[in-house]
Amino acid sequence: MVPLKSKWGKALRSLALVNPKRRLPARHEIGILSFAVVLTATVFYLDTFTDIHSALATLYVITLLLSAETLTEKGTLSLTAMCIGLAAFSYAVAHGLQADLAATLRLTVAVAAMLITCALIIRNQRARLDLVKFNVALQSSEERYRTIFEQSRVALWERDYSQVRTMLMALKADGVEDLGAHVRANPDFLEQCITRVPTVAANAAALELLGNASGENASSMRRFIAQNDATFLELIVAIFNNETHFEGKGSIITSDGTHKHVLLTVGFPEDPANFNRVIVGMFDITERELAQKALFEAQAELALASRAATVGALSASLAHELNQPLGALVVNAQTLLRWLDRDPPDLEAVARSAERIARDSQRASDIIQSTRSMLGKRAPVREPVSLVDLVGETRALMEGELARNRITFETRTASNISPVSAVRIELQQVLINLITNAIQAMGETPDELRRISVFIEPAAAETVAVRIHDSGPGLSADILAKLFKPFHTTKDTGLGMGLAICRSMLEARGGALTASNHAEGGALFEMIVPIEALDE
């Protein structure tokens, strides 16, 4: 059989009257409740069946106090209501309907005492419950924090900066405004600050970062801070300036003497009292710094290689651009010698050859001067250029080559073509290259069909279009895809630089150069020349 006391306790708990979380052992609770029941019965008997004229009902307060640790809030209210009911019953039995002022006052005092006691007990129970919940939440928060702190793969420390902050605030109170100047004037001050920052705790990642140092060795960071490292000074300056956060790069020396680069992050608490436990995080960025250093070195090497490639490209460009005027010089010089060998010498022909030699020499000089300007990054000399006149001059320059290849050259010009502000020698170089390519492209074309047509007309957005159309075989898809790439050529003796240089020169001034196949056959190159050229 189940004992009566056990049945009674289970019944009370089922009614939610007894606190399931015992604060006392079950034996003590049963004993206290039993004493409370006996006391209640005794008070009721004395108050009901004796002639004692005193506020005996007040003793029910003791019953409430004895049961306060065991009963729930609902149980306390129920017990209070029962005690008040017993007191009222005793009053009714002893006095009936007869009014007795003294007895009524005693009952009132007893009821008031029981109600006040009940209210205080409930308030105490609620305050204790809130305190328990707060402690549980605090413990849970501490456990979560400790788990994060210990299990994190980020190196974390808890350090005590309270002494350092006190020193810094004392300096500020003494009128020190520039902490950096104070440290330079007092070299020992920084060392004093470092020695006054003990480590409260360090997680496994922090000890691993320091070279698997022991907890005792990690208690002071003095031995791990690299000499001449300015990070700690920046950190105490942040504390001195009442900043809420600090982040900086520094260097540490591990237990085995290895130097490491670290990123240091510190969050400072708002309450100065909490400076005794400041969280410090460190990230090992050694590999990143080494990779960045290697990247900078590679970029420097690339820049050197790029300069070397530029020199090579410029050499190829000069060789390509000077080939035509130098070839013309040779031809004109040979022609001049033939006219001089005549008997008598044809001086008029000699004079014309000499003029052509001077003209080609000047063009070669202009090409060299333009290249020097680009190398020296000097501003190019721009001037008003009539594209119609420039095409005519270029035709005159290449008259001999056009005649030798039996090519018909025609120019079609729209009305009202505005002069352009451009570098004359650059535009002429482009025209010469395009016309030369057109001549070479018609090597297999029958003589009577060889034709170069130049169209000059306004284009959109304040530009002028110059289109060069030849009657050659046109451009295949493979050639079009690689046409403007440097060092790509379809000629046995070509360098593959001409078109690449032409496009670069035009684009540098805000223009463009494109290539396509004409609907009537042959290749079509289009120069877009801005009326106002840009400076590269």
Side-chain angles (χ1 to χ4, degrees):
M1 293 181 62
V2 180
L4 182 61
K5 290 181 179 180
S6 178
K7 286 184 177 180
W8 182 56
K10 288 183 178 179
L12 290 175
R13 287 189 177 86
S14 66
L15 295 174
L17 300 178
V18 178
N19 191 345
K21 297 180 180 179
R22 291 194 181 99
R23 300 187 186 93
L24 298 173
R27 184 178 59 184
H28 292 172
E29 285 187 353
I30 293 173
I32 291 172
L33 290 176
S34 298
F35 178 74
V37 170
V38 172
L39 177 62
T40 302
T42 301
V43 172
F44 176 73
Y45 175 80
L46 294 175
D47 192 28
T48 307
F49 302 106
T50 66
D51 295 331
I52 300 176
H53 299 293
S54 61
L56 290 175
T58 308
L59 297 177
Y60 287 126
V61 170
I62 299 176
T63 301
L64 295 176
L65 294 174
L66 288 173
S67 305
E69 293 293 325
T70 304
L71 299 180
T72 62
E73 182 176 321
K74 184 177 179 181
T76 300
L77 289 171
S78 299
L79 181 60
T80 302
M82 184 187 73
C83 291
I84 292 174
L86 291 175
F89 182 78
S90 298
Y91 177 84
V93 170
H95 302 285
L97 298 176
Q98 298 178 0
D100 187 337
L101 181 60
T104 302
L105 289 175
R106 287 195 296 272
L107 176 62
T108 302
V109 170
V111 171
M114 286 185 281
L115 290 174
I116 291 172
T117 302
C118 177
L120 292 174
I121 290 172
I122 291 174
R123 188 183 70 172
N124 183 60
Q125 288 177 339
R126 290 181 178 178
R128 179 177 293 176
L129 183 61
D130 291 340
L131 183 60
V132 169
K133 289 181 179 179
F134 175 77
N135 287 334
V136 169
L138 182 62
Q139 184 178 3
S140 176
S141 176
E142 180 67 22
E143 289 177 356
R144 287 196 303 271
Y145 163 75
R146 190 54 52 186
T147 300
I148 294 172
F149 184 85
E150 294 294 342
Q151 300 300 324
S152 174
R153 294 308 303 157
V154 176
L156 296 175
W157 281 266
E158 282 184 332
R159 291 185 184 152
D160 184 356
Y161 283 92
S162 58
Q163 298 181 55
V164 168
R165 187 183 185 280
T166 301
M167 294 172 60
L168 296 177
M169 294 304 104
L171 285 178
K172 183 176 286 190
D174 291 340
V176 175
E177 296 181 356
D178 188 347
L179 184 61
H182 179 79
V183 171
R184 288 190 293 272
N186 301 272
D188 295 336
F189 180 77
L190 192 61
E191 187 69 24
Q192 295 173 12
C193 290
I194 294 176
T195 57
R196 282 173 170 77
V197 183
T199 298
V200 179
N203 66 1
L207 299 179
E208 182 181 347
L209 178 63
L210 297 180
N212 296 317
S214 64
E216 292 184 3
N217 291 336
S219 61
S220 174
M221 287 297 295
R222 173 61 273 179
R223 58 170 297 187
F224 299 104
I225 298 177
Q227 293 293 331
N228 302 323
D229 184 79
T231 310
F232 188 80
L233 174 58
E234 296 171 359
L235 173 61
I236 63 172
V237 168
I239 298 176
F240 184 80
N241 294 332
N242 293 318
E243 297 180 11
T244 59
H245 182 78
F246 171 78
E247 182 176 307
K249 293 181 182 179
S251 300
I252 61 172
I253 304 174
T254 63
S255 299
D256 58 1
T258 303
H259 284 258
K260 287 187 177 181
H261 299 282
V262 295
L263 178 65
L264 184 69
T265 60
V266 185
F268 301 112
E270 294 182 3
D271 187 353
N274 294 329
F275 267 76
N276 59 340
R277 298 188 76 171
V278 175
I279 301 298
V280 179
M282 274 192 191
F283 302 87
D284 186 356
I285 58 173
T286 305
E287 293 185 3
R288 189 185 78 178
E289 292 293 308
L290 293 177
Q292 194 171 35
K293 181 181 178 182
L295 177 61
F296 289 153
E297 292 176 351
Q299 288 175 337
E301 292 179 1
L302 181 61
L304 182 61
S306 177
R307 286 195 295 271
T310 301
V311 171
L314 285 172
S315 299
S317 173
L318 279 173
H320 183 278
E321 298 301 322
L322 291 174
N323 184 57
Q324 199 277 337
L326 291 179
L329 281 171
V330 172
V331 171
N332 287 319
Q334 292 172 345
T335 303
L336 184 147
L337 291 174
R338 285 198 301 271
W339 293 122
L340 285 175
D341 287 340
R342 291 282 183 95
D343 188 15
D346 190 340
L347 296 181
E348 290 184 5
V350 168
R352 289 196 299 272
S353 296
E355 289 176 358
R356 287 195 292 270
I357 289 174
R359 180 193 64 194
D360 293 331
S361 299
Q362 183 61 46
R363 193 157 66 85
S365 175
D366 290 343
I367 291 172
I368 294 172
Q369 189 63 35
S370 176
T371 304
R372 290 182 63 186
S373 297
M374 287 189 293
L375 285 173
K377 295 184 178 180
R378 293 192 295 270
V381 178
R382 291 188 296 173
E383 57 183 305
V385 177
S386 169
L387 291 176
V388 177
D389 293 343
L390 186 66
V391 171
E393 291 174 11
T394 306
R395 175 181 179 176
L397 285 172
M398 305 188 69
E399 185 175 1
E401 193 167 354
L402 290 169
R404 282 194 302 273
N405 288 278
R406 294 177 292 280
I407 294 174
T408 302
F409 190 98
E410 62 178 0
T411 304
R412 298 179 186 176
T413 306
S415 59
N416 300 323
I417 298 296
S418 301
V420 297
S421 175
V423 182
R424 174 182 289 271
I425 186 62
E426 291 181 355
L427 293 181
Q428 192 168 66
Q429 282 179 260
V430 175
L431 283 171
I432 290 173
N433 269 285
L434 296 179
I435 294 171
T436 301
N437 288 343
I439 293 172
Q440 295 171 352
M442 292 185 290
E444 303 296 327
T445 303
D447 292 352
E448 66 274 10
L449 299 179
R450 294 180 183 182
R451 180 181 299 275
I452 295 177
S453 301
V454 179
F455 305 91
I456 307 173
E457 58 186 8
E462 296 295 316
T463 60
V464 178
V466 181
R467 299 181 180 90
I468 296 93
H469 173 218
D470 63 55
S471 58
L475 303 167
S476 67
D478 292 340
I479 292 177
L480 274 173
K482 303 177 181 178
L483 191 61
F484 294 101
K485 291 185 177 180
F487 303 107
H488 174 73
T489 181
T490 57
K491 305 168 189 174
D492 295 337
T493 58
L495 292 173
M497 292 297 298
L499 290 176
I501 294 170
C502 290
R503 171 177 272 188
S504 297
M505 283 194 295
L506 285 173
E507 289 180 347
R509 308 301 177 207
L513 177 62
T514 58
S516 62
N517 288 311
H518 198 276
E520 298 178 0
L524 176 66
F525 286 83
E526 183 179 61
M527 295 169 54
I528 300 297
V529 183
I531 293 178
E532 286 293 333
L534 302 177
D535 291 332
E536 187 177 14

